[in-house]
Amino acid sequence: ILVADKGSDQITGLIDFGDAVYAPVINELAVACSYFLNKDRNVAEDLATIAYGFHQYKEIYEEDLEVLKDLIVARYMTTLLITYWRAALFPENKDYILRNNPSARLGLKMFSKIDGEAFLQPLRKKCKIGPKMKQDTTPNRYIPGAVKLHPEMEAKISHREEVMGSSYRLSYAEPVHFVKGEGIWLYTADGDQYLDFYNNVASLGHCHPQVVGAMTKQAHTLSTNTRYLHDTIIEYSERLTDLFPAPLSQAIYTCTGSEANDLACRIAKYHTGGEGYIVSEYAYHGTSHLISSLSPNLGPTVSLHPNLRTVPAPHSFDPSVDVGEQFTAHVQGAIDDLQRRGIKPAALLVDSIFSSDGVYTEPKGFLKGAVEAIHKAGGLFIADEVQPGFARTGDHMWGFQRHGVTPDLVTLGKPMGNGYPMSGVIARPEVSREFGASARYFNTFAGNTVAAANGLAVLNVIRDQNLLENSYKMGAYLKEALESIASPKIAEVRGSGLFYGVEIVQAEDDHTPDEKTAKAIVNTLRKRKTLISTTGKNDNILKVRPPLIVTKENIDQFINTLRDVMSELGVLSH
């Protein structure tokens, strides 16, 4: 590109982009391989090593692997063709032009003898390769016409879409119609009861009488907003902030997790002056305009923020890998990339149990280095506790506490009101002070009197029924039971407290995701009146999340049903 000063026709500069073109990313790996895979060595092992390094920073998909060998061969062929053509045009420069031809000829000769599948096996084993994200990333949803339903159900679904539009989704291949909830059970109009091992909103169980009682009593008395003095919201704020490490002492209320994360990011931007954000590569943090752009989980049709950088989830199947060091390196790399482009980091935002990425909890402390890195860069650490918060992880009230770190901002939601729409941000005063004074944040329904009474009842139930302890004890029992299931399809059971991910793969010692089997398990469980879901970018991880009131009897029933389903699907070891 020739550059001229504004208003002048004088050329003052030149920008040479070289090979910078818009093309499939897998081309880059093919070109790199063409330079390295041209020696008399184990080509498959060398490819796996090169691809593994590439995969850590730019994800490779199964669809890419299907064309990788052909692209490498094409690179060798074009190298030979173009260089011989140039050498004929410029014979005086022949030696320089043909300098890479011997290695290209050797590479071409080697690849002509390589079986495509055998060539890729070491790569698949070393890297965790899956398919590209689908347009619709909602797991296990109902697709009209895919399954034959009762005419009455079809009519109900059709009417729902007429009055609610097409943006809503129904869970499971065959939707289920509930009319009542009580404790760990959900009930249909026919009186069938379903064991709920999925719902993280009613984490104290559906329609908990103490919470419903407090909500009803307050609704009968007074329902108004935070611009009037009211004792309950002050009492609730004090009780809530007392559950956090000392620097986190101020509560700002919102209505949904999306609003909480949106507000936290606004505060971070205001406090730091930064505009760069870092999240995990398949994170979901909400649906507002800002937060949807920081949520890769929503799929390719939702545009990502131009100043967003994503990092791989903190996990490795290789036990020799230090997960904390690896995650820190990825976060530091994202920080460096932002700064190279003149973008100051505002925040590292992570769900402390990485629930959308696939549930990653171990080892304890792996977040420390990443938090130190973002602080050193002048950014804030925001812990998204919308899913892992309120005793869910068993060890502590909040997921971030497992890692020995103290966030600058914490976002809350889902179980905060046990079904009543409540959320909020817990902040260090020095972080939120100027924003609060200048932006004058207010939300009509957030922190209303009914919400305050409801939230206080939730805290009382968690305390009075020792649900943090129950989460820890029953979580250990559930984990042991899940790990006892012998199946070559189960690569790993991950989680803490009452939040687990069970990774389903193609075969033993093969970490290729098996989305089909995972969804078959979920939908067959639904037919057996047991509810779970899937998570992860490949929808191959079973998401198991019973309420905090779960008992051994409930867990035994779930595990027995899960064994029966896996046996029916032919995925248990014999």
Side-chain angles (χ1 to χ4, degrees), residues 208-222:
H208 193 287
Q210 192 170 331
V211 178
V212 172
M215 178 171 57
T216 305
K217 180 180 178 182
Q218 185 60 51
H220 273 295
T221 305
L222 173 69

Side-chain angles (χ1 to χ4, degrees), residues 367-518:
L367 279 176
K368 279 186 178 180
V371 173
E372 290 170 2
I374 194 65
H375 281 159
K376 188 176 179 181
L380 302 184
F381 170 49
I382 304 172
D384 182 343
E385 294 288 332
V386 171
Q387 294 201 58
F390 291 93
R392 172 58 62 179
T393 59
D395 297 295
H396 303 280
M397 194 71 168
W398 317 109
F400 69 80
Q401 291 175 295
R402 305 182 71 253
H403 298 287
V405 296
T406 301
D408 301 290
L409 297 159
V410 180
T411 57
L412 309 174
K414 293 191 191 300
M416 193 171 184
N418 203 56
Y420 189 92
M422 289 185 71
S423 64
V425 178
I426 308 300
R428 295 174 182 258
E430 67 274 17
V431 169
S432 63
R433 185 179 297 115
E434 289 185 19
F435 176 87
S438 302
R440 299 183 299 114
Y441 177 81
F442 172 72
N443 184 317
T444 301
F445 295 105
N448 70 76
T449 52
V450 178
N454 206 78
L456 195 56
V458 169
L459 295 186
N460 289 338
V461 171
I462 292 174
R463 178 196 62 195
D464 297 344
Q465 296 186 12
N466 297 316
L467 293 184
L468 177 59
E469 182 181 0
N470 195 64
S471 178
Y472 178 79
K473 289 182 176 178
M474 290 300 99
Y477 185 74
L478 175 58
K479 184 179 183 182
E480 184 179 354
L482 288 168
E483 290 177 336
S484 72
I485 298 175
S487 171
K489 290 282 188 178
I490 296 179
E492 201 168 43
V493 175
R494 299 187 294 267
S496 176
L498 291 171
F499 201 139
Y500 285 94
V502 181
E503 181 140 6
I504 305 299
V505 294
Q506 294 286 352
E508 198 166 8
D509 298 325
D510 177 1
H511 297 143
T512 304
D514 189 348
E515 173 189 0
K516 184 178 179 181
T517 297

Side-chain angles (χ1 to χ4, degrees), residues 52-119:
Y52 180 76
F54 188 90
H55 188 60
Q56 301 309 299
Y57 293 93
K58 198 68 178 177
E59 190 164 13
I60 306 166
Y61 298 99
E62 183 62 35
E63 293 90 332
D64 297 323
L65 298 187
E66 294 173 5
V67 296
L68 181 57
K69 179 188 172 185
D70 291 341
L71 287 173
I72 296 171
V73 170
R75 173 71 178 188
Y76 286 137
M77 293 176 68
T78 53
T79 297
L80 293 170
L81 177 64
I82 291 171
T83 52
Y84 280 126
W85 171 65
R86 286 177 178 166
L89 290 175
F90 307 102
E92 71 280 4
N93 212 16
K94 179 179 178 181
D95 290 343
Y96 174 76
I97 294 171
L98 298 178
R99 69 195 185 283
N100 291 324
N101 280 29
S103 60
R105 283 197 302 272
L106 177 60
L108 192 59
K109 183 178 179 180
M110 290 166 58
F111 271 80
S112 68
K113 300 176 182 178
I114 292 173
D115 174 74
E117 280 304 304
F119 163 66

Side-chain angles (χ1 to χ4, degrees), residues 225-256:
N225 62 58
T226 54
R227 285 188 169 165
Y228 302 103
L229 283 170
H230 189 262
D231 291 339
T232 309
I233 190 64
I234 299 172
E235 181 186 357
Y236 176 61
S237 300
E238 186 173 30
R239 284 278 304 280
L240 181 63
T241 55
D242 280 349
L243 298 171
F244 288 87
L248 291 157
S249 59
Q250 293 191 340
I252 310 169
Y253 295 103
T254 50
C255 296
T256 68

Side-chain angles (χ1 to χ4, degrees), residues 349-365:
L349 168 63
V350 298
D351 166 352
S352 63
I353 204 167
F354 293 84
S355 50
S356 296
D357 290 273
V359 187
Y360 298 108
T361 56
E362 304 301 330
K364 291 181 180 180

